[in-house]
Amino acid sequence: MIEVYGLDLTERLEQPVEKFLPFFSPERQEKILCYRFPADRNRTIWTELLVRSVLARKEARPLEEITIERDGQGKPHAVGSPWEISLSHSKHWAVCSVGEAPSGVDVEEDAKDALMIAGHFFTAQERRSLQHLTGQKRDERFLQIWTVKESFVKLTGQGLEEVFAMVESAALLAGNGEIAGRNFPLGDAVIGICARRGILPDKAVIVPQDFIKIPYTR
């Protein structure tokens, strides 16, 4: 089975995170420090600390012994671990999926310019599903479609244009094919997850703020 975990970042976005950099490789530190805004650095750091905390519990190892690396396409994997992972963050949320089989996860909180984006990236059927909706309902539907398609991209490694133009979110959510998708609401945000049919979770686990146990740092 696949598990999905979420961490509310509202109280963490403006906190200094430089003291956590030693837990990351020099290459990763360099990329993190390239972000102009502190909130962007914080999202990146806390998302990785979230998945490392999940793996540390599963493997009964200290968090600092869990190493996350990325392949040539930027897809993360845990070094020396049997668990497959996927990561995502958006505004106030960090999310990860963990399982014995590959998965793709995405979280989105911004439905700004939904109709314009849908006109470029959604299928005709998906655009029609938005036309009769307004306000919050339209935003939620837009995020459901977007996140499940984005999670499919992360799972399969296919190109964005190919997936967004050809793959129907309704088919993924119906779960009739080899790969299935699911959504979970997070207030104004939505999680999308894709994995092999039959191993999707029934819910997302929202972890408490003290879930991440950081070793002492000066």
Side-chain angles (χ1 to χ4, degrees), residues 5-26:
Y5 298 86
L7 174 67
D8 188 342
L9 300 178
T10 302
E11 298 178 4
R12 301 176 183 261
L13 291 180
E14 301 303 326
Q15 295 177 358
V17 292
E18 285 73 17
K19 63 181 180 180
F20 302 135
L21 288 174
F23 294 112
F24 296 80
S25 69

Side-chain angles (χ1 to χ4, degrees), residues 18-83:
E18 285 73 17
K19 63 181 180 180
F20 302 135
L21 288 174
F23 294 112
F24 296 80
S25 69
E27 295 79 12
R28 193 64 181 152
Q29 290 184 42
E30 183 178 355
K31 289 186 177 181
I32 291 170
L33 290 174
C34 284
Y35 289 114
R36 179 181 179 184
F37 299 106
D40 293 328
R41 294 195 292 268
N42 289 13
R43 291 184 189 99
T44 300
I45 286 176
W46 286 114
T47 302
E48 183 164 320
L49 290 176
L50 170 63
V51 74
R52 289 169 69 179
S53 296
V54 172
L55 295 175
R57 283 168 166 77
K58 287 184 174 294
E59 300 178 15
R61 290 200 287 159
L63 177 148
E64 59 267 32
E65 291 185 7
I66 307 295
T67 301
I68 305 298
E69 293 184 352
R70 286 160 176 78
D71 62 20
Q73 295 180 321
K75 187 173 183 178
H77 66 275
V79 178
S81 172
W83 301 97

